[in-house]
Amino acid sequence: MADTKQFDVVVIGGGPGGYIAAIRAAQLGFNVACVDEWKNAKGGPAPGGTCTNVGCIPSKALLQSSEHYEQAHHHFADHGIQVEGLTMDVSKMLARKDTVVKQNNDGILYLFKKNKITFFHGRASFVKTDATGYELKVAGAAEESISAKHVIVATGSNARALPGTPFDEENILSNDGALRVGAVPKKLGLIGAGVIGLEMGSVWRRLGAEVTVLEGLPTFLGAVDEQIAKEAKKAFDKQGLKIELGVKVGEIKSGKDGVSIAYTTAKGEAQTLSVDKLIVSIGRVPNTIGLNAEAVGLKLDERGAIVVDDDCKTNLPNVWAVGDVVRGPMLAHKAEEEGVAVAERIAGQHGHVNFNTVPWVIYTSPEIAWVGQTEQQLKAAGRAYKAGTFPFLANGRARALGDTTGMVKFLADATTDEILGVHMVGPQVSELISEAVVAMEFKASAEDIARICHAHPSLSEATKEAALAVDKRTLNF
Ligand SMILES: Cc1cc2nc3c(=O)[nH]c(=O)nc-3n(C[C@H](O)[C@H](O)[C@H](O)COP(=O)(O)OP(=O)(O)OC[C@H]3O[C@@H](n4cnc5c(N)ncnc54)[C@H](O)[C@@H]3O)c2cc1C
């Protein structure tokens, strides 16, 4: 092994938590290294983590392609556009998705260069610690030894498998296999009606698969505001996405003819679902495989997550952890915010993440987005609130787009009018939610939004109108 290379900060993991932490630390003047082990199909480096390689980015690429197909198939005719002989070339769609992923991988490698960050392609593991810091081994094409005073662990998460049913990525698919299915399955099963399950189910349903989603919980999207979740469920039912709630999954058998899933319905009836492919999306497990956390005594909790305080400090001096490998929502933008905050804390600044204003988005059609508290949370907390809603049906731009599903909903404090939560289901709400995030970050009242001039005709007028609805004075409904 070559001599130990020394850095001020070593970041383990090049996903959104890690690569953003590395960039911010470099901007603050530190000598930074980032180690990431993800390999592309040719065995080369593919930084960007789950998000770039098998998560946020490829799923959105496939959602876009399948949405175009669905529009051409079912909705172009409304505009007078006739399409004959419409076909779907799945391999081309997958190749496009791979190109989008590669553009993002290359973009991150460029950013490392631009910010003078040393990138190591391989797996990092702790070797030892002494008064000067931490020594790590990088196992890549060659073995390297590196050391740093500060270490930021951003090793992400892996898909959780059902006990006794490992992923084979042929018939039983994690998010990874679900993004690589080579032909539209006739019948697709999904276990778990969470964000990832609904997005993946939507892609393959739009392309013609008959999709059945089995969910163990009795309520649909329990973390989402109930009124919004109900509206979304109505839309998914209409599209033909079959969602069965409150089921208990039993034996799963996989063979050359596909997969059969025995389950009990909410009413207690025994059923069997036979499908060509099964996607299991029942959550993700923090990943510390191969990190050799024991060598330095890095503390993990019972779920395998690295234990951190509110500032992302671990139990070890100058070792920090961010993103999916620690507590909190498994979201790329949460990981990024933590990465920035940690780099700033290392520099003696006061980095801060406001967990109350982390937005959530589900990129189905209709999209679902929210920030802050739901109506059921406010009720449970006994908080006095006012609610205002505005349907996209009454929004001129939504009518022109031909997509009037859904609504915007504001929840504001009954006395002060401070915005406590904003919930949306409908067209392009993944973009509309930012206004609500800004408003909540600045502790705005519903009236503040109601008094702001919004462009006409735009979907954002629904946000203004929902804010007006809090005081029962909508103008267009
Ligand atoms: C299908 C799907 C869709 C998603 N869509 C969204 C979305 O739309 N929006 C959103 O906000 N979130 C989404 N997510 C979640 C998002 O991908 C994660 O929250 C995010 O990637 C977490 O970032 P991270 O940096 O903590 O970890 P990761 O992105 O998992 O990156 C960790 C990196 O560390 C590397 N690594 C691990 N151990 C080592 C080691 N010992 N040495 C070297 N390298 C190591 C891994 O190879 C990986 O590259 C989605 C997830 C999935 C699965």
Side-chain angles (χ1 to χ4, degrees), residues 10 29 57 172 178 209 229 266 269 284 311 341 344 371 420 437 449 460:
V10 165
I57 300 298
I172 304 195
E269 294 152 359
R284 298 184 59 84
D311 288 346
E344 292 179 350
V371 57
L420 303 174
V437 176
I449 298 296
S460 72

Side-chain angles (χ1 to χ4, degrees), residues 9-10 49 60 85 107 136 152 202 215 258 304 314 339 356 418 452 474:
V9 179
V10 165
K60 267 79 244 175
L136 298 131
I152 304 174
S202 296
E215 167 60 52
T314 69
N356 296 324
E418 182 183 343
I452 291 172
T474 50

Side-chain angles (χ1 to χ4, degrees), residues 62-72 75 205-207 364-365 403:
L62 295 189
L63 279 158
Q64 189 62 50
S65 300
S66 58
E67 179 64 21
H68 283 322
Y69 180 76
E70 179 153 273
Q71 287 292 328
H75 305 295
R205 183 205 55 76
R206 289 171 190 167
L207 299 180
T364 43
S365 178
D403 191 353

Side-chain angles (χ1 to χ4, degrees), residues 13 16-17 36-37 49-51 55-56 60 122 124 155-156 175 324 330-333:
D36 188 82
E37 65 175 338
T50 301
C51 168
C56 323
K60 267 79 244 175
T155 46
N175 55 295
D324 281 11
M330 288 191 174
L331 292 169
H333 42 283

